[in-house]
Amino acid sequence: MKRSILATLAVASLATMSLTGATAANATSPAAATVAMTAPHAAAQSADISQLRQQFNDYIAGLDLDADTRAAAEAAGSSDDALVAAAAKSLAQVKAALTDAGVDNEWTSGAIDPDGYDCSTTEFREWARAQTAQIDPASWDWYQNGFLGLSPDLLLQYWTLMKTPTNPHDTPLGPNGANTNELARTFTNLQRFWDVDTSDVGLVSLDAKVLGPDGAADRQHVYDGLSEISPLGALFLQIGVEGGLGSGRLNGFPGGVDNPMFSLNAFAIDPAHSGDSQETLEALGITRRVAVGQGILQMWNELGLGRVAGRAVMAHEFGHQVQYSDNLFETDITDEAEATRRTELMADAFGTYFMVHKRGESLNKAYTLQDLQTFYNVGDCSFSSPGHHGTPNQRYHSSAWAAGLAKSADDQGHVLPSLTVADSFETMLPEIVAPDAH
């Protein structure tokens, strides 16, 4: 049965998939439970839940809420079970909208056999693990889990969605804006390169400035917007984020809001392709965009790939916009992991074709190798995850194939139609993803 794959985390679910099993800590002490609880299904002790419920009730008592929201909040705070159930429902609503937008990735599915594939760690994962190890465990847990699963991570994602894109040259990117001009030029080139209309695609940065001392108004903007999706979810997020900030959880991150783990990601969205959430996202003023994280740019710079990798990441994200325009998320593949892998490897190919092409970034041989290394580094081994983007080898080979497609063309000035590149990629996909273990 043909189906539409609507959730496409661009580049990777970088902070989560690549660090599976390697976070600084998952446990939460009772003393930290006010702002750092695990997700509802994993809430450990009823005493902790009761404490949270009391704090929730105290919190809403002082808020000016409309009658319906207050009634729902009071019902949620009527018992421990009601609070956990309300949080679980709210979290599902919030994440559904993020998933539809192409930002979040919380599906479950099954079934690519890992035994047939060569898959190992990469410089990216080792770098990210080292960064995470420096973060205070309670602060890291607060960032991931917040108040019964409604976490600061969700606030950053929604803030990135709700930003208003500006001129690309006015979007600070990279440490101290070091990558701004180069990425702005690349973004403009991408809009000219492909044969689809992307004039309405904007560029925004993914960062954590909204958590800083000057971000209160912006955080409130997110809470107000989120209440259109889930009023209780907005309250849970607000109490968790503001409580954590007030108790100094941000201090547990070296560098504060500039810590790269807040923004080790990138994504592309098109509200017109967000399924059930389209009307809501458009009502919130969310527009078509590419978001590039400050953290991922810092990482590439520190790994020595900054001259190429930031542009390659952007080109991959823009590849998703091409896929949206060409309806290339439509597939007969029914397994979510394989379906996501297909679209992500295709975006790798789109990105590298642009990077190598004479009318794109026209990379030389040495820089082309850095492009391939970039995609190798963001490969993952989460074979059964619905967010599986391809192993390091698969991402390398997809990019290498696209580089060859550009370099071998008789007419180096001709850009192939996007659908022609996609069709050629589909032909090569079985070979790209074939088992490679020896």
Side-chain angles (χ1 to χ4, degrees), residues 71-212:
E74 290 176 349
S78 63
S79 71
D80 292 356
D81 289 344
L83 185 72
V84 172
K89 181 178 180 181
S90 298
L91 183 61
Q93 292 170 329
V94 170
K95 287 196 170 184
L98 285 169
T99 298
D100 288 347
V103 179
D104 200 50
N105 181 42
E106 294 296 330
W107 298 341
T108 57
S109 77
I112 299 175
D113 178 13
D115 293 335
Y117 295 89
D118 179 18
C119 197
S120 59
T121 190
T122 64
E123 288 183 291
F124 159 69
R125 284 195 289 276
E126 294 305 316
W127 182 92
R129 286 168 180 161
Q131 295 293 322
T132 307
Q134 299 175 41
I135 299 170
D136 175 72
S139 292
W140 181 245
D141 194 63
W142 163 72
Y143 172 65
Q144 291 188 306
N145 299 312
F147 188 93
L148 290 173
L150 279 295
S151 68
D153 177 47
L154 297 177
L155 182 134
L156 295 187
Q157 292 181 59
Y158 266 97
W159 171 233
T160 307
L161 290 181
M162 296 174 72
K163 284 182 177 181
T164 300
T166 59
N167 184 305
H169 287 278
D170 295 330
T171 303
L173 292 168
N176 298 315
N179 301 98
T180 299
N181 289 335
E182 183 174 65
L183 291 182
R185 179 194 59 75
T186 299
F187 186 80
T188 302
N189 195 10
L190 280 160
Q191 289 184 307
R192 292 194 296 253
F193 184 81
W194 293 106
D195 61 341
V196 295
D197 182 12
T198 54
S199 59
D200 60 341
V201 178
L203 175 65
V204 297
S205 67
L206 167 60
D207 58 58
K209 302 297 187 186
V210 69
L211 295 177

Side-chain angles (χ1 to χ4, degrees), residues 350-422:
F350 277 135
T352 297
Y353 182 76
F354 163 79
M355 291 291 289
V356 173
H357 199 283
K358 289 295 183 183
R359 289 176 57 187
E361 296 297 276
S362 191
L363 298 185
N364 61 25
K365 185 175 181 180
Y367 282 149
T368 296
L369 179 59
Q370 288 192 15
D371 176 272
L372 305 188
Q373 289 174 323
T374 297
F375 290 113
Y376 177 89
N377 263 286
V378 294
D380 67 87
C381 304
S382 302
F383 298 95
S384 62
S385 167
H388 177 51
H389 284 43
T391 68
N393 286 345
Q394 289 167 350
R395 301 197 74 166
Y396 180 94
H397 291 311
S398 182
S399 299
W401 169 81
L405 183 67
K407 290 289 190 182
S408 64
D410 293 331
D411 182 357
Q412 290 288 293
H414 175 65
V415 179
L416 291 173
S418 54
L419 286 174
T420 299
V421 176

